[in-house]
Amino acid sequence: DVKVTQSSRYLVKRTGEKVFLECVQDMDHENMFWYRQDPGLGLRLIYFSYDVKMKEKGDIPEGYSVSREKKERFSLILESASTNQTSMYLCASSRRTSGRTAYEQYFGPGTRLTVT
Amino acid sequence: AQTVTQSQPEMSVQEAETVTLSCTYDTSESDYYLFWYKQPPSRQMILVIRQEAYKQQNATENRFSVNFQKAAKSFSLKISDSQLGDAAMYFCAYRSTGANSKLTFGKGITLSVRP
């Protein structure tokens, strides 16, 4: 089974702190994603990566950066945490699309981040 | 840009009954993928069912089936014989066929199942 793990289930940080959220997948997937989930807004894509050291901005990249130094690991960085970044953060991974097969994304358990 | 709309924020169904969750999307593309994901309370999001737009036949997975209406840009999920374990948040999602394309999610619907 595919496994996507995230470094913390719950995290409490103070405003202005630098925050690292880590995600690891064990299925050699090329693509990895970071989302934030807020009530009434669904999932919104922050950043994604389709290869090591490659990254693409999603819909809401402001205030975030990412790092992918190894294929299995994708980190989300909040350079200076703010209260409006309090949210649930979900990591996902998938195989790169090939042919006409709709490969699914596999999700981690999520990190609930509270910034006070 | 593609958009996905789930207009009902909440639904409720009696155990063993059938429920349909609606989803519409907007796209100018002719080939794409559609998904329904399930997020149980405090648990990981998992794929329920997927549909490739080029396939005319509606996808089915055990008690889950879809009604894919390409012309109407509608993609509803039918859950038959509802079980207590079906209680969750359900998200409809769209993806283009490009190799590095991303998922676009709807806002989700919370389904409760009454015993």
Side-chain angles (χ1 to χ4, degrees), chain A residues 4 9 31 35 37 40-43 45 48 50 58-59 90 96-97 99-105 107-109, chain B residues 31 33 35 37 39 42 44-45 47 50 52 54 89 91 95 97-103 105-108:
Chain A
V4 180
R9 289 301 300 271
N31 298 341
Y35 297 90
Q37 182 179 6
L41 297 179
L43 275 75
L45 182 64
F48 65 104
Y50 51 85
D59 300 316
L90 297 177
R96 183 172 295 144
T97 298
R100 304 188 85 179
T101 301
Y103 291 119
E104 69 184 275
Q105 289 188 13
F107 286 82
Chain B
D31 204 7
Y33 310 121
F35 304 83
Y37 281 87
Q39 187 180 40
S42 302
Q44 276 166 261
M45 181 122 44
L47 178 71
R50 80 189 86 194
E52 288 90 346
Y54 70 87
M89 194 146 193
F91 292 93
R95 187 162 77 78
T97 56
N100 299 321
S101 58
K102 57 183 185 177
L103 274 178
F105 285 87
K107 293 183 178 180

Side-chain angles (χ1 to χ4, degrees), chain A residues 53-92:
Chain A
K53 297 190 185 295
M54 304 298 288
K55 61 184 179 183
E56 293 275 345
K57 290 181 180 180
D59 300 316
I60 51 165
E62 297 77 19
Y64 303 94
S65 61
V66 290
S67 172
R68 194 168 180 200
E69 296 296 318
K70 294 184 177 182
K71 191 174 185 180
E72 68 271 17
R73 189 179 297 268
F74 191 35
S75 301
L76 179 69
I77 303 154
L78 287 66
E79 294 289 342
S80 178
S82 63
T83 55
N84 63 13
Q85 292 178 310
T86 291
S87 186
M88 171 70 85
Y89 291 87
L90 297 177
C91 175

